[in-house]
Amino acid sequence: MTALPAAGTAVADLGLAHAPLPADEVVAGSPTTAIVVLDDTGDREIGIWEMTPGTATDTETDELFVVLSGRATIAFDEPSLPSLEVGPGSVVRLAEGMRTTWTVMETLRKVYIA
């Protein structure tokens, strides 16, 4: 996890320390992720998350996010939910326990509230 940025730091300039995803989550490629927590009150967390190109599965937490940069497709294990194509400006709400597969085509950076 990257340290909290100084006040006034531009999100695009924020350097993030990436780590590989657990092998059991990776479907294709060698994606890495990075996170910096901006605020954590115990009830909610606000931060910046980034994933490099590749495909990985996840079990979601209750989250609202806005994509800042990059492109990805989010597929849901629930057959009634259509896949989402996300890019800069996309706003997405995920519910606790959703099973997803993220295919990142261009490094994706988002700001989230969880």
Side-chain angles (χ1 to χ4, degrees), residues 4-107:
L4 183 66
T9 300
V11 173
D13 297 335
L14 184 61
L16 300 176
H18 278 252
L21 287 166
D24 63 334
E25 294 178 10
V26 175
V27 175
S30 300
T32 62
T33 60
I35 189 170
V36 61
V37 175
L38 302 173
D39 185 44
D40 185 355
T41 64
D43 301 15
R44 65 159 168 73
E45 179 179 289
I46 301 170
I48 305 296
W49 177 89
E50 186 172 83
M51 181 175 160
T52 61
T55 303
T57 61
D58 195 18
T59 300
E60 302 299 337
T61 186
D62 230 2
E63 175 184 0
L64 174 72
F65 68 84
V66 178
V67 176
L68 302 171
S69 60
R71 287 185 324 109
T73 300
I74 306 168
F76 300 91
D77 282 3
E78 172 57 48
S80 66
L81 297 174
S83 294
L84 297 176
E85 300 288 330
V86 298
S90 295
V91 178
V92 178
R93 174 81 166 83
L94 299 173
E96 179 83 28
M98 284 179 153
R99 295 280 309 142
T100 56
T101 300
W102 291 69
T103 301
V104 174
M105 288 76 76
E106 295 172 12
T107 298

